[in-house]
Amino acid sequence: MNWEKLVTAIFGSHHQVTRLGDVISGTGELRGQTLAVVGTTDHTAIGIEIALAQAQLVLETVQNHPGRAILLLVDTQGQRLRHRDELLCINRYMAHLGCCIELARRQGHQVIGLVYDQALSGGFITSGLIADACYALPEAEIRVMRLPAMARVTKIPEEVLEALSASNPVFAPGVENYVAMGGIRSLWTGDLAAALQDALNTAPRVDVRATDGAARGGRMLAAQVIEQVLADGVAA
Amino acid sequence: MKHSFAESTARMRVNHLLDNGSFHEILGPARRVVSPHLALLGVPFSFDDGVVIGSGILNGQPVLIAAQEGEFMGGGVGEVHGAKLVGLFRRALRDRPSAVVVLAESGGVRLHEANAGLIAVSEVMRALLDVRAAGIAVLMLIGGANGCFGGMGLIARCADYVVMSDIGRMSMSGPEVIESSHGVEEFDSRDRALVWRTTGGKHRYLMDDCDALVEDDIEAFRQAAIEGLRHTRPLTLQALLQEHALLTNRITDFGDCKDATDIWQRLGVPNTSQVTDLEAAQVQVLKPLATAEAL
């Protein structure tokens, strides 16, 4: 779904969301509540300028609209793969965006992530994945790497990866896999306004993804290992 | 005696970094907490899943510590590896050490368990920021031959204090990935001098992307970490506005530079062609020149 259809599906005509370059921003009204909208479109690569532009929007919201909920709309092919970005320390720019979102959360802004088209690796970590909770449309795609490329890098035959991915959500692309592992809280279907309202009503403030992953059977070890680390060497 | 950081294993690094004999490993190899996903793919696994975690004393102060083992899957973050880091940060919230020290050496997300690794990196980041919000310092020490890339590069820049040697690189995408995506003209991954002056410790130090530059010596990392114990960087609006201004100005000031040497020259560093041959202490002398110029 393109971003214009998406914001209309969520907010009807009650929004002022616009596009500047590949960054989308503005506000939307949901049942009387104003939300800040920050995101990207056209599968854009997150280079230093786009990371900074999004950070700016989040900081402006924190400064000018205390407490306003933030909806992060994710569509990215990942971090920009250029020498210039690395030279100028792109990881610092992206970490800054993540820290701005973290600050917003700590100052009482709810932050909801939505993968509405595509989310890849690095570009996703400091946007949707750092929200209170991240959701996805069913037709969205989330991945680190496609199986053919993964087969080349890991030197494991693609057929083997293909066969294993049918029963194990741990490496293959797909939003369902991320739901099973707790990384995506749920898929939004049907009435998107209602889905957002529900997210605002129920999104947890603390990180529950590991326990979600265990409860859903998609990531059985993370929560258990975290508990073991907490318990190890502590006298009973 | 000098111990090369880069050539040491994760356990050796931890043992030499902390006060003598003070390290107590948490969930050590004897506990056999391994990645089930690697076994399923027929790939060798490790009894610590490539990361050593525990508690210890640094210059008399209690710390929690983690060290990634670059020799195992390039330090890649998988489900168990990531959960050990998350658990360590949550433990810090409970036990209130003086700092959490991370000896980062990682290519980022471990592809064999990519989805779990990606989510884990995000969980580590949130857990780390919780620890910082509690006023506990988080230190990143980067000095392994595999560098600190991808998700771990993001995590490193979320810390209070970053220490690097020149061998240790910090960045997002590896040069091979950039070359395969945009060609050898974009980034020649076999040009080692280019790779290191783009992402190595000296460049990061001159640009203020790391707080301390040290030689490839565990004792030097130890001294820098002790200094780092005093540096907490509260995550305030004021601090982030400053960071935002710095990053904005950087694009204005250096956005047209084609090479690290162009940036160094503009920073006022003399004899830029010789920077790669300098000792860490000599680069430290250049830093005030560079900073004065930038102001």
Side-chain angles (χ1 to χ4, degrees), chain A residues 48-49 52 55-56 59 62-63 79-84 86-96 98-100 102-103 105-107 121-122 124-126 129-132 143-145 150 153-154 156 161 164 168-173 177-178 181-183 205-207 209-210 219-222 225-226 228-234, chain B residues 25-27 31 33-34 36-37 40-41 43 53 79-80 83-84 86-88 90-91 94 111-116 118-119 121-123 125-126 129-130 133 151 153-154 157-158 170-173 177-178 181-182 186-187 194 198-199 203-204 207-209 235-237 240-241 243-244 246-248 250-251 254-255 257-260 263:
Chain A
I48 55 176
E49 289 85 359
L52 201 56
Q56 174 98 33
L59 286 176
V62 171
Q63 281 183 289
Q79 70 271 18
R80 188 162 64 191
L81 303 172
R82 292 288 184 179
H83 170 267
R84 175 177 175 271
E86 300 300 334
L87 184 64
L88 296 177
C89 206
I90 180 173
N91 51 307
R92 182 169 182 171
Y93 284 77
M94 295 175 75
H96 173 58
C99 287
C100 289
E102 179 72 16
L103 174 79
R105 192 214 317 284
R106 287 192 188 283
Q107 301 223 345
S121 56
F124 187 30
I125 293 172
T126 56
L129 278 181
I130 203 169
D132 291 324
R143 67 169 189 271
V144 173
M145 198 179 259
M150 193 174 283
V153 178
T154 62
I156 296 167
L161 294 177
L164 275 172
N168 189 333
V170 78
F171 59 81
N177 288 341
Y178 279 80
M181 306 191 86
R205 290 295 177 113
V206 294
D207 195 341
R209 291 174 292 183
R219 195 160 52 118
M220 298 309 293
L221 275 175
V225 170
I226 292 168
Q228 284 175 318
V229 173
L230 285 167
D232 200 22
V234 176
Chain B
E25 187 162 352
I26 296 169
L27 229 55
R31 299 282 298 274
V33 180
V34 304
H37 311 298
L40 212 59
L41 289 167
V43 173
I53 60 169
E79 178 173 355
V80 171
K84 286 174 78 174
V86 173
L88 191 74
R90 297 224 179 131
R91 194 167 165 129
R94 184 189 69 198
L111 281 180
H112 304 77
E113 31 194 298
N115 300 340
L118 189 69
I119 299 167
V121 162
S122 169
E123 290 170 331
M125 190 176 289
R126 284 190 62 174
L129 291 168
D130 283 342
L154 297 175
R157 277 304 323 172
C158 288
M170 175 180 68
S171 217
M172 191 65 213
S173 308
V177 175
I178 295 176
S181 177
H182 289 287
E186 176 70 26
F187 202 165
L194 170 69
T198 305
T199 60
H203 176 56
R204 294 305 186 215
M207 292 289 277
D208 248 346
D209 294 326
L235 200 73
T236 60
L237 176 61
L240 288 179
L241 287 171
E243 173 78 356
H244 198 80
L246 180 151
L247 294 175
T248 305
R250 175 176 291 187
I251 297 177
F254 306 110
C257 290
K258 299 280 181 260
D259 192 279
I263 295 179

Side-chain angles (χ1 to χ4, degrees), chain B residues 54-211:
Chain B
S55 62
I57 308 291
L58 178 61
N59 199 32
Q61 306 214 41
V63 296
L64 290 178
I65 191 165
Q68 294 175 304
E69 178 52 67
E71 289 294 308
F72 179 68
M73 313 220 75
V77 179
E79 178 173 355
V80 171
H81 182 122
K84 286 174 78 174
L85 292 171
V86 173
L88 191 74
F89 281 110
R90 297 224 179 131
R91 194 167 165 129
L93 281 181
R94 184 189 69 198
D95 295 354
R96 303 272 160 168
S98 294
V100 180
V101 184
V102 180
L103 285 59
E105 181 175 4
S106 177
V109 171
R110 183 187 295 167
L111 281 180
H112 304 77
E113 31 194 298
N115 300 340
L118 189 69
I119 299 167
V121 162
S122 169
E123 290 170 331
V124 173
M125 190 176 289
R126 284 190 62 174
L128 181 159
L129 291 168
D130 283 342
V131 167
R132 272 186 65 189
I136 300 164
V138 178
L139 316 181
M140 286 284 157
L141 276 48
I142 302 171
N146 291 283
C148 178
F149 286 89
M152 280 309 297
L154 297 175
I155 287 170
R157 277 304 323 172
C158 288
D160 290 279
Y161 196 79
V162 181
V163 180
M164 294 181 74
S165 67
D166 192 48
I167 293 174
R169 292 166 292 154
M170 175 180 68
S171 217
M172 191 65 213
S173 308
E176 296 82 6
V177 175
I178 295 176
E179 182 184 312
S180 69
S181 177
H182 289 287
V184 69
E185 308 77 20
E186 176 70 26
F187 202 165
D188 184 350
S189 65
R190 283 184 296 186
D191 183 343
R192 288 177 60 87
L194 170 69
V195 168
W196 257 265
R197 73 176 179 267
T198 305
T199 60
K202 285 176 185 166
H203 176 56
R204 294 305 186 215
Y205 178 71
L206 287 171
M207 292 289 277
D208 248 346
D209 294 326
C210 67
D211 301 279

